[in-house]
Amino acid sequence: KRVQNIQSIPASITALSSESLSKGNLTNLVDMSDSVPNVQISGQGGLPNIYMRGIGSGMNYAFEQSVAQFKDEIYLGRAILARAPVFDIERVEVLRGTQSIMFGKNATAGAINTTTKSATSGTEGYLSLGVGSLNERKIEGAFNTDITDDWSARVAVLDKSVDGFMTNDFDGSNI
């Protein structure tokens, strides 16, 4: 693998930068599927189905997924991880079509590769606070600093909570 310009690669690739993810308020891969052509992530009962160009594993969760998911080049074996929150992301690459040579591991329909931000030299950071409906509260932040001349460290955190939209009749709590 080597770094290349995306326009010189003869493959169907969509890359989303961290700026485009934050502008579109895309908090997980399910939200991202509305912004990427030929990718559908939907599901019933909280379990997503991932399809690229109409090819996917469907409702049989015993099989490996036809659309492979990777985070920092580590394979994520189950589609439910598409609902995991994405934060402190450098880019998301969506590669349509068979990707078994580049990624291996059953990338029959395509691959979604998420890359988190790496530690860089210098001191920087950010903090983001948010509120929403159903008493949603979100705190996201990252801090990057130099440890020595050759070593840097980066710490990123996310805390998100939201009340349920149904009421438990037994104890009155939101679920």
Side-chain angles (χ1 to χ4, degrees):
K1 294 182 181 181
R2 61 180 183 266
V3 177
Q4 283 185 286
N5 185 341
I6 197 169
Q7 294 177 338
S8 65
I9 299 171
S12 179
I13 302 173
T14 300
L16 301 171
S17 66
S18 62
E19 291 83 22
S20 62
L21 292 171
S22 64
K23 277 184 187 177
N25 196 24
L26 306 175
T27 58
N28 57 39
L29 296 180
V30 175
D31 298 338
M32 181 214 58
S33 70
D34 295 335
S35 304
V36 178
N38 295 322
V39 175
Q40 297 83 31
I41 303 176
S42 63
Q44 300 83 20
L47 296 173
N49 294 317
I50 304 173
Y51 292 91
M52 273 193 197
R53 296 180 173 171
I55 301 172
S57 297
M59 296 298 291
N60 192 342
Y61 297 110
F63 295 130
E64 292 288 324
Q65 298 299 305
S66 296
V67 178
Q69 295 180 76
F70 296 88
K71 187 164 190 174
D72 292 330
E73 298 185 10
I74 297 173
Y75 178 67
L76 306 175
R78 296 292 172 239
I80 190 66
L81 296 171
R83 292 204 186 275
V86 293
F87 67 100
D88 202 38
I89 298 294
E90 182 177 325
R91 69 184 176 279
V92 176
E93 301 162 343
V94 179
L95 296 92
R96 289 177 287 283
T98 304
Q99 300 298 322
S100 56
I101 292 175
M102 285 293 292
F103 291 99
K105 197 62 182 165
N106 196 30
T108 306
I112 300 173
N113 186 29
T114 305
T115 305
T116 58
K117 291 184 180 178
S118 299
T120 59
S121 61
T123 301
E124 65 178 10
Y126 72 90
L127 180 65
S128 173
L129 305 172
V131 295
S133 61
L134 298 174
N135 203 18
E136 178 183 4
R137 296 166 304 283
K138 178 180 174 185
I139 300 171
E140 177 184 340
F143 180 71
N144 187 88
T145 189
D146 292 332
I147 296 174
T148 66
D149 290 340
D150 297 328
W151 289 80
S152 296
R154 183 175 190 90
V155 176
V157 295
L158 171 69
D159 182 32
K160 182 178 179 180
S161 64
V162 63
D163 289 345
F165 58 90
M166 298 183 335
T167 303
N168 183 344
D169 289 333
F170 182 71
D171 64 1
S173 65
N174 288 331
I175 52 174

